[in-house]
Amino acid sequence: MHIRIINPNSTASMTRQALERALVVKNADTQVSAVNPLDTPLSIEGGADEAMAVPGLLSEIIRGEALGVDAYIIACFDDPGLHAAREVARGPVLGICQAAVQVAMTISRRFSVITTLPRSVPIIEELVSAYGADRHCRKVRSINLPVLSLEESPVEAEALLLREIERSTLEDGAEAVILGCAGMSTLCDRLTEVSGVPVIDGVTAAMKVAEALVVAGYTTSKVNSYNYPREKSAGCVVCA
């Protein structure tokens, strides 16, 4: 099978990081590729960034369809354009937030999410609610560090994350923690080891779910909601 990771922002180093994480957990016979658009924001931090990233994301999926890609992973925790992406893809499309939430609900009864900036908190809260995990997610926290600073200041990022993981267990009663940004993925294993808390990285979670769906033969439903976009006629007359 061929699984394609799409980083919706245009920072190539983050695309490589997501690919490296996926390669660690993939099955031996799974082909994994990773791409990013060139004309999208350098990072996605809010609704405007999301909106500007979606056209490029959809273009990459359309290219992947021509190549016969079996499944896609959107490597941004806001799951931008997820439903639109499913309309243009034959195979499964995984958002790393949804995948991580599903894993967290499977291995724990209560979890917290730790993201980058405070402005991302309400976006993630809405996603968690949409995925039916309100009762399980105790809190969405932030370390108040921009996405690009995760690469620039990894030591600081790790210290801030460890502090919030400790607070999640003590104050929230969390039994697992989700890292709310694809740029945090390389820290996942160490954070689990140091904290003793199951720490979930959405990239690896989505990778394993994608493999399972492809092996089981599940494709995106084209009945109603996720059917391919209708072709529009340009012959309509617009009246003033």
Side-chain angles (χ1 to χ4, degrees):
M1 75 179 78
H2 180 185
I3 295 176
R4 172 154 289 182
I5 298 169
I6 303 176
N7 169 21
N9 71 46
S10 57
T11 300
S13 59
M14 293 183 66
T15 306
R16 290 192 297 271
Q17 176 182 314
L19 176 61
E20 289 169 3
R21 284 296 293 170
L23 292 176
V24 170
V25 300
K26 80 174 187 71
N27 291 334
D29 57 350
T30 299
Q31 177 187 354
V32 185
S33 60
V35 296
N36 60 261
L38 301 177
D39 56 354
T40 55
L42 292 174
S43 62
I44 297 177
E45 298 170 323
D49 288 341
E50 284 187 39
M52 288 187 285
V54 170
L57 165 70
L58 296 181
S59 294
E60 291 296 345
I61 290 182
I62 291 169
R63 291 190 188 97
E65 289 295 280
L67 296 172
V69 171
D70 296 296
Y72 303 87
I73 295 170
I74 300 176
C76 170
F77 203 79
D78 290 356
D79 288 356
L82 179 59
H83 295 296
R86 287 172 175 165
E87 290 184 24
V88 298
R90 179 192 61 83
V93 182
L94 284 296
I96 64 172
C97 177
Q98 185 175 24
V101 166
Q102 290 170 337
V103 168
M105 288 197 297
T106 301
I107 68 171
S108 68
R109 298 187 69 168
R110 301 182 293 183
F111 65 89
S112 290
V113 181
I114 305 174
T115 188
T116 50
L117 294 173
R119 68 180 301 162
S120 297
V121 170
I123 295 172
I124 295 173
E125 288 175 339
E126 290 180 4
L127 283 175
V128 167
S129 178
Y131 298 147
D134 300 73
R135 294 177 58 190
H136 301 271
C137 182
R138 294 309 183 182
K139 191 174 183 65
V140 179
R141 297 175 169 273
S142 80
I143 58 174
N144 199 20
L145 196 69
V147 172
L148 297 178
S149 295
L150 295 172
E151 288 187 6
E152 297 166 359
S153 308
V155 175
E156 179 185 8
E158 181 179 327
L160 292 171
L161 285 165
L162 283 171
R163 184 188 69 184
E164 291 303 316
I165 290 171
E166 182 178 10
R167 293 182 63 190
S168 295
T169 57
L170 294 177
E171 299 173 16
D172 310 341
E175 301 162 354
V177 167
I178 295 174
L179 298 179
C181 178
M184 297 175 174
S185 61
T186 56
L187 298 171
C188 182
D189 295 341
R190 177 165 171 77
L191 292 171
T192 297
E193 178 184 357
V194 174
S195 69
V197 177
V199 179
I200 300 165
D201 156 39
V203 174
T204 54
M207 181 67 207
K208 299 312 293 182
V209 174
E211 284 184 321
L213 290 172
V214 173
V215 168
Y218 293 118
T219 58
T220 300
S221 171
K222 293 304 172 185
V223 179
N224 294 325
S225 300
Y226 288 148
N227 197 3
Y228 293 108
R230 294 181 62 245
E231 291 186 11
K232 308 297 192 300
S233 171
C236 298
V237 177
V238 179
C239 300

